[in-house]
Amino acid sequence: MSDDATNAERSGMIAFGDLELGIRREVEVVAERFPNTDPAVVDRVVRETLADLRGDATVEAHLLAVTRNEAIHRLEAHGHTFQAAEPSPPEQ
């Protein structure tokens, strides 16, 4: 993967030509926050959220980052339990 695609993936931006990779990454990140939720449910919510947001978007640069937050809110609203990420150990 090129540096530009890697940086785009990390920042939640849609990498040019590789939307599916970005979606899969967002599904992974959201699924980590909802370990007791069926991964298929997380996948569906992330994809539906992205589709809804893309319908109204005039700029897509940070759409995946917005999708992540909105998908988390939608899962919580439907009673799924959010689990915060474990803090990274300090660098030595």
Side-chain angles (χ1 to χ4, degrees):
M1 184 182 308
S2 73
D3 287 336
D4 289 341
T6 301
N7 291 338
E9 179 184 340
R10 288 182 184 150
S11 69
M13 293 173 57
I14 296 174
F16 292 110
D18 208 345
L19 176 60
E20 184 59 30
L21 174 64
I23 292 170
R24 287 194 312 259
R25 177 65 186 131
E26 292 310 312
V27 169
E28 288 174 12
V29 170
V30 174
E32 288 173 1
R33 304 300 189 269
F34 293 90
N36 298 320
T37 300
D38 181 347
V41 170
V42 174
D43 185 85
R44 179 180 47 80
V45 169
V46 169
R47 290 175 187 278
E48 287 174 358
T49 301
L50 178 62
D52 291 346
L53 292 171
R54 284 184 91 187
D56 295 331
T58 55
V59 177
E60 293 189 353
H62 296 281
L63 202 52
L64 286 173
V66 175
T67 296
R68 179 187 305 176
N69 291 329
E70 181 62 24
I72 287 170
H73 292 302
R74 289 182 185 192
L75 286 163
E76 289 178 314
H78 285 96
H80 298 277
T81 304
F82 178 85
Q83 183 176 339
E86 295 290 323
S88 299
E91 292 185 27
Q92 296 184 17

